[in-house]
Every structure is written in structure tokens, then in C-alpha cells.
Amino acid sequence: QVQLVESGGGLVQGGGSLRLSCAASGRTFSTYVIAWFRQAPGKEREFVAAITRSGGNTYYPDSVKGRFTISRDNAKNTVYLQMNSLKPEDTAVYYCAARSRVIIKPTMTALGEYDYWGQGTQVTVSS
């Protein structure tokens, strides 16, 4: 089992940047696929980014592609989400999620594919 703790959220002006961190407990961090999701008030939780165990592959929806970058440092048990050119519509609580089980042909974007979740960190982008 892994515990996830997000940090780095805050208030930023539109066009600005933030870097979120997701710190994980445990010695087997490199065996987990990690993703970021977000949830705005009154909306469903949505996929933001995902990264494979080795960091060799990353996934993004069109809404953040080219602006957000996910990366990981397995030696530090940490995944990062660099968010640039932020927009007011990026305002949400951002959650880190993880899974260790193998899924044949995963979507990488479905909430149900992830078994462990952090408590979330608030990101607010002002116009």
C-alpha cells in the first residue's frame, strides 16, 4: 500500500505557473503508475496527466497538453506536475492517484484504474 501527499497548490494569476508535488511512502514507488486528476466545484473529477512506472511514457488530455508536464523522480518517491500558462478554468482541487496492479490495455484516464488517492491540493487561478 502507498500513501500519497500532494503539495504546491495555491493562488496564481492567469498566465502564471505552479509546480505540484506528490510524495509517496513506501519502498516500491517505481512499481506504481501515477496520475493527476482535478475536480472543480460542481464538476466531476477529471483526468489531467499520467506517467508510467519508468517515466518513459506520459499522457495528457487536450485541455492541458502543451501547458502541463508530468515527471517523476523514483529516487525521491515523488511525482511532479509542472503547470504553465494557467487559466481560470484550471481552478480545481488537484489529486494524485496511483496503482500498482497491471491492467491489460489501460486507458490511463479512468478513475477506476487507480487504487490510491491523496487528499488533494487547491489550485486557484485568477483572471
Side-chain angles (χ1 to χ4, degrees), residues 4 22 29 32-36 49-51 70 72 79 96-98 114:
L4 305 171
C22 172
F29 180 70
Y32 288 85
V33 174
I34 306 292
W36 287 95
I51 190 166
I70 188 171
R72 67 190 297 162
V79 168
C96 179
Y114 298 91

Side-chain angles (χ1 to χ4, degrees), residues 10-63:
L11 173 64
V12 64
Q13 281 192 329
S17 299
L18 280 176
R19 188 178 80 157
L20 305 183
S21 297
C22 172
S25 63
R27 300 180 180 178
T28 58
F29 180 70
S30 62
T31 66
Y32 288 85
V33 174
I34 306 292
W36 287 95
F37 289 79
R38 67 186 180 187
Q39 188 167 18
K43 295 188 176 181
E44 294 186 349
R45 194 168 296 191
E46 65 175 2
F47 171 74
V48 174
I51 190 166
T52 52
R53 294 171 178 83
S54 66
N57 290 300
T58 57
Y59 304 82
Y60 307 93
D62 289 343
S63 58

Side-chain angles (χ1 to χ4, degrees), residues 67-85:
R67 300 188 300 122
F68 290 10
T69 302
I70 188 171
S71 61
R72 67 190 297 162
D73 185 338
N74 285 341
K76 295 183 177 180
N77 281 17
T78 303
V79 168
Y80 305 98
L81 184 68
Q82 178 67 43
M83 305 187 295
N84 299 329
S85 302

